[in-house]
Amino acid sequence: MSPMPYCDRCDRHFNSWHALYQHKANSPRHNPTSTGLKEHWVQIPLHYYCQRCDEHFNDIDELKDHYDDAHYWCRDCNSFFVNETGLHEHYRQSPQHHYCAACRCPFQSASNLRSHSAVHRPRDVPCRGKGCTLTFVSVSSMLLHLESGACVSGLTRRIIDAKIREWDRSNIITDPSRLLASSSPHAHSQTTYYATDAAWNGSAYECYLCHGKYKNLAALNQHLASPRHQDKVYVCPQATCRVKFTTLSALCQHIESERCGVHRFREVKLAMDGIVGQMSRLTM
């Protein structure tokens, strides 16, 4: 019995030689037309081919860069759109994307989008320092202003920290394991660091605590006056978080970021609102 006619290229048997010849005459795999060849380029991942532009590229990264530059394409979803409006609506409506519709700008994470969203908030948080008329987009921004010593009220980070120690007797946002819990009359004072010309190491002024290098002595002393090397006396109240911070503004920024969910606790909100509310009572 003679073997059945067989097509090696297609790995397929035929009932007769006539059927095999007809297959070879009509199949696009044996007689590739322009359309059939393009479909092959599109479907086979070994080819880096843009069907819309009828253009080949050297690798997948080059092809994707072309999509970004020449087409309305969502890289994450591998979806194409007719125009910019279609792509914009896709980003805006899709729960998979962290997208600012106002700026038409995608972000890599929800936290990055929340941080960016601050630029669109109204400056409706008034400074609590006496005599200051400045307004801010968030409470953490206002506290940072006070801690910097730039407020006309004369408030500074040291004054605010001292008052927080008095107000937060239940240690909701302060860490009792640090110097705040000590009964020593000197325990609540902050260490003051400063540098002299002796900090010059031959090429830069070097911080003797972290070995950071600065171009001039003023920049080094500004670094030493910052909270960088102070104790982390503030702590996130969330039991599963408990991240520590050196400043009240940093803790507040952490709460505003909603990263650990602590903002949902009523006790925390009342404590922070009470502390911020009492800032206006501070006098110099």
Side-chain angles (χ1 to χ4, degrees):
M1 181 177 180
S2 61
M4 294 179 65
Y6 176 73
C7 176
D8 291 325
R9 179 176 297 180
C10 300
D11 189 21
R12 179 181 172 187
H13 289 89
F14 294 88
N15 294 327
S16 66
W17 288 104
H18 174 74
L20 174 60
Y21 297 147
Q22 190 174 31
H23 159 73
K24 289 184 176 181
N26 298 330
S27 171
R29 297 193 66 178
H30 296 278
N31 301 280
T33 62
S34 176
T35 302
L37 186 58
K38 288 181 180 179
E39 286 298 319
H40 167 76
W41 290 336
V42 170
Q43 295 175 12
I44 303 301
L46 295 176
H47 299 284
Y48 311 109
Y49 173 70
C50 176
Q51 187 176 18
R52 291 160 179 78
C53 299
D54 192 19
E55 186 176 355
H56 289 272
F57 295 88
N58 293 324
D59 54 46
I60 187 63
D61 292 331
E62 191 174 303
L63 176 60
K64 288 182 176 181
D65 288 342
H66 164 75
Y67 286 160
D68 286 333
D69 296 337
H71 302 288
Y72 301 105
W73 178 62
C74 174
R75 181 182 283 257
D76 294 331
C77 302
N78 193 27
S79 299
F80 291 87
F81 299 89
V82 175
N83 51 36
E84 185 179 2
T85 301
L87 180 59
H88 167 70
E89 285 301 309
H90 165 73
Y91 280 137
R92 188 178 68 83
Q93 297 179 28
S94 173
Q96 299 182 55
H97 297 291
H98 311 290
Y99 184 67
C100 176
C103 296
R104 292 180 173 248
C105 182
F107 291 85
Q108 291 186 342
S109 67
S111 61
N112 288 349
L113 176 59
R114 281 195 297 269
S115 298
H116 162 78
S117 297
V119 304
H120 299 298
R121 295 180 198 147
R123 299 174 70 90
D124 57 0
V125 178
C127 179
R128 296 306 180 103
K130 286 188 178 297
C132 185
T133 59
L134 296 179
T135 55
F136 302 87
V137 298
S138 64
V139 173
S140 61
S141 298
M142 183 269 292
L143 290 174
L144 184 61
H145 160 70
L146 294 175
E147 291 170 343
S148 70
C151 183
V152 296
S153 67
L155 289 176
T156 64
R157 188 180 76 251
R158 290 175 180 272
I159 296 171
I160 291 172
D161 289 349
K163 287 300 180 182
I164 298 301
R165 288 191 285 269
E166 294 179 15
W167 296 335
D168 188 33
R169 296 187 181 278
S170 299
N171 296 116
I172 295 176
I173 63 170
T174 51
D175 182 4
S177 69
R178 308 302 297 174
L179 55 93
L180 293 181
S182 173
S183 59
S184 167
H186 302 294
H188 293 165
S189 62
Q190 294 181 355
T191 303
T192 300
Y193 300 105
Y194 67 92
T196 65
D197 289 330
W200 179 257
N201 65 8
S203 60
Y205 288 93
E206 183 176 349
C207 175
Y208 46 85
L209 297 173
C210 66
H211 304 293
K213 297 176 176 58
Y214 298 85
K215 291 183 179 180
N216 54 60
L217 186 59
L220 172 56
N221 277 317
Q222 185 178 22
H223 161 75
L224 290 172
S226 74
R228 173 70 183 273
H229 298 301
Q230 298 296 333
D231 282 315
K232 293 183 177 182
V233 295
Y234 295 100
V235 61
C236 175
Q238 173 66 288
T240 57
C241 182
R242 303 301 288 175
V243 175
K244 296 179 181 180
F245 305 89
T246 57
T247 63
L248 180 62
S249 62
L251 169 62
C252 189
Q253 188 176 41
H254 169 75
I255 294 173
E256 290 171 346
S257 74
E258 303 180 4
R259 289 173 185 165
C260 69
V262 69
H263 66 288
R264 295 193 296 267
F265 290 87
R266 182 173 178 271
E267 183 181 26
V268 174
K269 186 178 186 304
L270 291 176
M272 292 301 297
D273 288 347
I275 287 171
V276 172
Q278 293 188 74
M279 290 291 173
S280 59
R281 295 169 48 193
L282 299 180
T283 58
M284 292 301 299

